[in-house]
Amino acid sequence: MKDIMNMSMNVKKIALGAAVIFFTGFASAQTLQDGINSIDSDKFAQAKTNFTDMVAKTPTAENYFYLGNTYLRQSEPDYAKATESFNKGLAADSKSYLNKIGLAAVKLGKGDKAAVAEIQKIVTDSREKDAEVLFRAAEALTLFDKNNSPDLAIQYLNKAIERAKKDVPAYYYYTLGDAYRLKKVPGDAMTAYDKALPLAKNKASVYTRIGTLWMAAQQWQQAKTSIEKAIATDPTYAPAYKAMAAYDIRYQENAKATQDLINYTKYADEDPYTQLEIAKLYFTNEDYTNSKAILDKIFDKIDDPIKFKLRAYQLYAEGKYAEAKQNMDNFVSKAEKSRIQPADQGLQGLIAAGLAKTETDAAKKTALTTEAQQKIAIAKAAKDETMKWDMELAKISGGGAASQATVDAGPTNPTIEGLKQKVAANAQDTDSLFKLATAYQDAKNWNGAIQTWQKMNALLPDWAPGYYSLGYSYQQSGNNDAAKAAYEKFISTVKPADQEANKQTLAYAYFAVAYMEKDSNAAKAKEYVAKSIQLDPTYQDAVKLNAEINK
């Protein structure tokens, strides 16, 4: 399962830029730097305490800006509290360019693209003399994945660097790298991060950003090397563990990812929004127990409606569709419209399909089924891969995933019991999983085979034969919808170079889908049976089906 909360490793969550404002007293400057360092280390509660103390001691416009900006920087921005602080900053100084930028950033985060022009005007009014104003304007234009202006940010950052002359701070280059990253120019982003490296006091921050940039480019070994450098440089730097967790989740190393998240929890702080981020990551790692435990602990401490979305995913995973719907309805009614993602509509579709399964009123059942198809189609059209939509829908129509009790109630033998012990001792043992799945098939324990092939596919997502075997097991269990989805996944996963070696299994997969579609989708059945015969002209079942449906 991929990132369900639009959890791209976006750089604002990893190692955030900072600006040093020099006050007359050394203690004040040190306090500001402490707050900046806390934000960079994902210690948002600590940062809020720092900046709140600064405001209490010296209620300047600048201090209100830094407090408000902390709320924008956390993994899920708190726009209300950020706005409150920026407004107090303007009350302290009606000409404060920083707080005007802060308010414009709130608008931008909510999806108001006109805020870009507003930021431009603020910078023009400042006459571009203050490097801090230029930097914060650029930073605001890079904060949000979907609402940003990297070209303008690059322009402002280059001017800020020019104003700084020989004393260019590392965070100017951090943010320049972020802007190029948003512009999808990874080479220039890497150059900017490389320039930040010798200037940064905590090089773990830069190595982490470089690592996540390699991840975005799908250069996984380079990513791992850079993140390991970050951890070696500063073993207490929390964002590096979050990046490593994302790497391990990508490779389905669930046990390692769990340990990464434990370390992230250890070195970040107890800020509820940071804990919410950890709950989301646990869910992505399919560790539903830890995800639920953390969400339960913080649910009443956070105002952000995203908590309802995460709860809905958890409830969906447990098959509690009515409660999941209630939580998704809460999220959709309370969240800004710009925060509703195609995946959210896909989840609503799956929940509707789950409700339709037990609905006895014919009209309501039809309406729920139609809603499911329409909303899942939205997620698929957006090429969203948060969940395997067809597979999830097929599992619901077939009664859902087999419970452990159902598996244990099926046929068994000493071979199965021995392999179960090996898998229990090492959940990553793919050799034992393969043998266990095959043993379940031999014993005709189809629920056991389905469950075990699913585990194999999670560990080896690019290994095509696992999907073929899953499809066969579903077919034997009588769940044709899930079988079709698994066979389709097998067909799409076979690499071009491996097609010749897999001709016969491909021929059967195409035939099986054609056979199951012949009464409901004749056009697809004709297309697939033709492909089956093309791969294996001697396959008599396909030849007969072809003759039957082309009369």
Side-chain angles (χ1 to χ4, degrees), residues 405-516:
T406 305
V407 173
D408 292 342
T412 189
N413 54 48
T415 300
I416 288 174
E417 296 304 317
L419 288 166
K420 281 169 64 176
Q421 290 181 10
K422 286 188 176 182
V423 170
N426 181 7
Q428 312 290 317
D429 183 354
T430 53
D431 182 61
S432 292
L433 278 168
F434 175 85
K435 291 176 180 176
L436 177 59
T438 304
Y440 273 132
Q441 286 187 180
D442 291 342
K444 294 184 169 48
N445 184 335
W446 301 114
N447 286 323
I450 289 166
Q451 184 189 73
T452 311
W453 285 123
Q454 286 173 336
K455 291 177 180 178
M456 273 287 288
N457 293 340
L459 290 170
L460 301 172
D462 298 325
W463 188 59
Y467 299 107
Y468 178 87
S469 297
L470 178 62
Y472 178 77
S473 299
Y474 267 128
Q475 188 178 3
Q476 295 302 312
S477 74
N479 188 345
N480 286 345
D481 287 336
K484 283 189 293 186
Y487 283 137
E488 294 269 24
K489 183 65 175 176
F490 164 69
I491 290 167
S492 65
T493 307
V494 174
K495 297 179 176 63
D498 297 331
Q499 287 198 356
E500 184 64 28
N502 287 274
K503 278 177 68 172
Q504 287 188 317
T505 45
L506 278 167
Y508 180 78
Y510 275 116
F511 164 75
V513 175
Y515 186 84
M516 288 183 274

Side-chain angles (χ1 to χ4, degrees), residues 4-6 76 109-111 146-147 304-306 308-309 313 327-348 375 378-379 382 384:
I4 62 166
M5 304 293 155
N6 195 29
E76 290 295 335
K110 290 182 175 182
K146 294 192 174 181
N147 305 306
D304 196 300
I306 201 167
F308 295 110
K309 177 160 74 169
Y313 272 98
N327 277 272
M328 274 305 288
D329 288 347
N330 269 334
F331 169 70
V332 170
S333 67
K334 297 174 186 295
E336 294 283 337
K337 292 285 186 274
S338 61
R339 297 180 69 188
I340 311 299
Q341 304 294 325
D344 301 332
Q345 298 189 68
L347 178 60
Q348 287 178 309
K375 292 194 170 180
I378 291 170
D384 182 274

Side-chain angles (χ1 to χ4, degrees), residues 313-326:
Y313 272 98
Q314 292 175 343
L315 291 164
Y316 167 78
E318 295 173 15
K320 297 177 180 177
Y321 303 122
E323 294 174 62
K325 181 182 186 305
Q326 182 180 0

